[in-house]
Amino acid sequence: MSRTGQSAETGSQDGRARFEDLVARYSGHVYAIAYRMSGNHADAQDLVQEAFLRAWKALPGIRRDVPLEGWFYRTVTNLFIDQLRRRHGVRLYSMDDPIQTSSGEIGREFPDEGAEVERAVAGAEVDSRVQDALLSLNPEVRMVIVLADVDGYAYEEIASMMGIPIGTVKSRLHRARAAMRDRLEPIREELKVQ
C-alpha cells in the first residue's frame, strides 16, 4: 500500500487516467503552440511528444486544480529553444509543400469559410503569406513576436520564458514587427486594390 492507502497498481491506473485526461484536454493547444514556433508539422509533433513526456514525468507534482496552458507554453518554448541550439541551421517549409502521411502525400487544403470562394482563397493566401513571413524571421525573433502579438504575453513573462532581459525582448519585438510590416506591405497594397 502507498501512503494514500491505494495500491501501487491503482495509483498507476489513476496516473494513466489523469495523463490521458491531460492529453485530451491540452493536445490541440500544445500542438498549436508547437506549430507556431516550429513552422512545420514534423517538428511540432516532436515538440508535442517531448512536452507530454515531460508532463508525464511531472504528473505526481502537478496539482489537479491548476490550469496547465502556461506550463505547456513555457515547456514547448523551452524545448523549441533547445531544439534551435542543437541545430546548425533551421529548415523552412513552404505552406505549398504536400503533407507526408503513411499512405503517401496529400496536398494542403484551406477551409472554405462558407462565404464567397474568392474571399476564402484570398484569406488562405494572406494566411499563407503571413506564415511565410513569420518563418522568414530569425527563430528567436519569431518566438518573441508570437509570444507577444499572437499569444498576448507581457514583456516580463516573455523575458522569463526565454531567459533574456526585458530590453532584449523589446528590441527583438521591435525588429520583428518592422520586418513583418516590410514583408506584408505588398499584401496591404494588393488588398487596397481589390
Side-chain angles (χ1 to χ4, degrees), residues 4 11 36 47 123:
T4 62
R36 280 195 305 262
L47 291 169

Side-chain angles (χ1 to χ4, degrees), residues 5 31 62 64 69 82 100 117 127-128 169-170:
Y31 178 80
I62 297 174
R64 291 177 187 265
E69 288 91 353
D82 291 345
Q100 300 296 325
V117 173
D127 288 349
S128 176
V169 170
K170 291 178 181 179

